Amino acid sequence: MALLTTPAQAEPPAPCATTATHRISQVQGEGDATPLAGQTVRVEGVVTGDFQRTDQLGGFFLQDPRPDADPRTSEGLFAYAGEAVKDVEPGDRVLVTGRATEFNGWTELSPVTAVDVCGTGRVAARPYLLPSGGLEPVENMLLTFPQPLTVTEHYNSGRYGEVTLSSQGRLFQPTDRRGVVPAANARRSLLVDDGSTRENPATLPPVVRAGDVASGLTGVLGYGFGAYRLQPTKPVAYRSANPRPRRPSPVAGNVKVASFNTLNWFTTLGSRGAGDAEEQRRQLAKLVAALKGVNADAVALMEVENNGRTALQALVDAVNAEVGAGTYAALTHPHPGTDAIQVGLIYKPARLTPVGETRASQDAVFSRPPLIQTFRGKGGGRPFTLVVNHLKSKGSCPSSGPDADQGDGQGCWNATRVAQAEALLGIVADLPGPIVLGDLNAYGEEDPIRTLERGGLASVTKRFVPAPQRYSYVFDGLAGELDHVLVGRELRGRVTGATIWHVNADEPRIRDYNTEFNPPDLYRPDAYRSSDHDPVIAGLTLPGGR
């Protein structure tokens, strides 16, 4: 009887013998999105960045070591493959199977069904220079930047490990000065991430000041939350190019005035300022250090709690406890308005004498009415008048109407700020020696400032502060001047100098008084990051001043 035999089963091919179906450049395509979306592909490349842990990016970057001839196609790809799929290391030559997809604008393989390590390889980092002509052609690739790059934003350095760098120096607000082009700002900038999705990471990137410089930056270029993100593959080397100023630059003269936004100095806990008594103590220590450093004869204050004299007097008492009893006195705002915050004014009685009563505008255009006070020096002589302001902010935009964002870079509520500026011109018309100062929530070339200048007021910082140093605030990586001191015609020849003390705008918020996210060892009871606005200081020579 014949024996029945079963045909031998064919051996499955070895994983590394299952060759790639597509090159990485084919998956990337020539445009912003993969032309193979939804298709399962198998690609080959060398691992250039490993971020597989779940608290990192949950995957790795791979790159074709044999680039094609098309400059429009990237040679890199991100594989969303955690450690459970296959743990890889930089330098591994891998074959990866997965579905080509666009994840919120990021070309990647997800899900990944197979990762096979098939030896080793090498990919050299591609030298890349900013300004960029567009980063899509190098998405997911290993890049190195041979040029110095300047820290221009670090707002989220402690919260998300993000720092934005720029070529050719820091970035400025296009509406703050002439010649700044938004598109050019974008091409000059690069967001550097920390290779993770962690909030408040235990290990921070280097804590740097805006203006510091990174060199030899190397990493892989990912994408997320609407921006390309370089994930460093080696530590970022920073050098201090913008050291902390220990004191303001001298402004000369015999009378010194200043403007300072306190960033919500509240004595009521848990409202807009400190959340508890410890935070309040820390905040107060920093504000006192800042005011001691400013050492002006009169200081206009913004964002003080609108609770009568309580918050303002608490601040004065704390300053006087450091510099001597009676050094400063506070004026009572006669009409502070109904906003949660008010403007305030403190002065040195040994240096200045108030002339007449403290006044305030009752014009309904102001939600935070200006405070008005005329002074003379202790020796008598020419009077001058401080008009303290905090104009309408750019936030909480209406959806329509003249105060909606008009797309001109000035933000929302610009029409209201212009109306407030026009009202200020009416106020100062009959004042002796007017000085309009405060947080005007308008950059140097915006309509409200132009309105004031056309009305006869002149910016002292535009005259005395060099353009690279003329900023008091940083928003979204762009520096500009929101805080101003402007003088009328009769005082222009009396101004001896002006400066902006960069103790706040250049400092990361992780150095402020808050305790909930900031590492405790970073806090110091000094002036640095006492607010988010820098103090602005002006000097004048006036008859009767000392």
Side-chain angles (χ1 to χ4, degrees), residues 10 23 26 47 82 87 94 130 176 179 199 257 266 274-275 344 365 373 385 396 398 404 448 475 492 503-504 521:
R23 296 193 67 178
Q26 292 175 303
V47 175
D87 193 17
V94 293
L130 297 176
D176 189 65
E199 290 188 31
V257 300
F266 274 53
V365 73
Q373 180 65 59
T385 307
S396 303
F475 178 76
R492 289 186 190 181
V503 291
N504 293 323
D521 61 327

Side-chain angles (χ1 to χ4, degrees), residues 253-465:
N254 58 11
V255 173
K256 186 162 64 171
V257 300
S259 171
F260 184 36
N261 183 318
T262 68
L263 184 56
N264 292 314
W265 164 243
F266 274 53
T267 51
T268 302
L269 296 175
S271 46
R272 288 177 58 167
D276 55 37
E278 174 62 9
E279 284 193 343
Q280 188 179 75
R281 181 192 66 79
R282 288 157 58 113
Q283 182 186 20
L284 185 58
K286 282 190 165 291
L287 291 174
V288 168
L291 289 169
K292 284 175 59 180
V294 168
N295 191 29
D297 300 318
V299 185
L301 300 171
M302 292 91 240
E303 295 196 15
V304 176
E305 183 178 7
N306 189 358
N307 60 351
R309 286 177 60 100
T310 303
L312 185 61
Q313 191 62 50
L315 182 56
V316 167
D317 290 345
V319 175
N320 286 343
E322 290 282 331
V323 300
T327 300
Y328 281 99
L331 295 176
T332 299
H333 200 313
H335 178 62
T338 59
D339 199 280
I341 52 178
Q342 64 174 319
V343 299
L345 183 58
I346 65 174
Y347 71 101
K348 292 181 176 179
R351 303 274 299 168
L352 301 176
T353 299
V355 177
E357 295 182 352
T358 306
R359 292 173 288 161
S361 172
Q362 306 223 13
D363 192 323
V365 73
F366 297 109
S367 54
R368 297 182 283 259
L371 183 150
I372 306 160
Q373 180 65 59
T374 300
F375 290 97
R376 276 194 175 94
K378 292 303 289 186
R382 182 189 295 266
F384 65 95
T385 307
L386 297 182
V387 183
V388 183
N389 301 272
H390 190 185
L391 300 192
K392 181 70 175 176
S393 72
K394 295 175 180 285
S396 303
C397 292
S399 59
S400 61
D403 273 319
D405 192 331
Q406 304 298 310
D408 58 2
Q410 301 188 80
C412 57
W413 301 108
N414 189 55
T416 290
R417 287 190 296 276
V418 170
Q420 291 174 332
E422 292 169 341
L424 282 173
L425 292 176
I427 291 171
V428 304
D430 299 320
L431 295 177
I435 302 175
V436 172
L437 73 172
D439 178 0
L440 303 187
N441 271 311
Y443 293 107
E445 294 299 323
E446 292 186 1
D447 295 335
I449 306 303
R450 290 173 175 166
T451 298
L452 295 172
E453 290 174 335
R454 284 194 297 266
L457 297 173
S459 165
V460 300
T461 51
K462 286 183 179 179
R463 176 182 170 190
F464 286 99
V465 179

Side-chain angles (χ1 to χ4, degrees), residues 57-81:
L57 302 179
F60 60 87
F61 293 81
L62 66 155
Q63 188 167 325
D64 192 333
R66 298 172 295 111
D68 67 9
D70 189 346
R72 296 169 297 180
T73 59
S74 169
E75 307 299 332
L77 200 55
F78 180 73
Y80 187 64

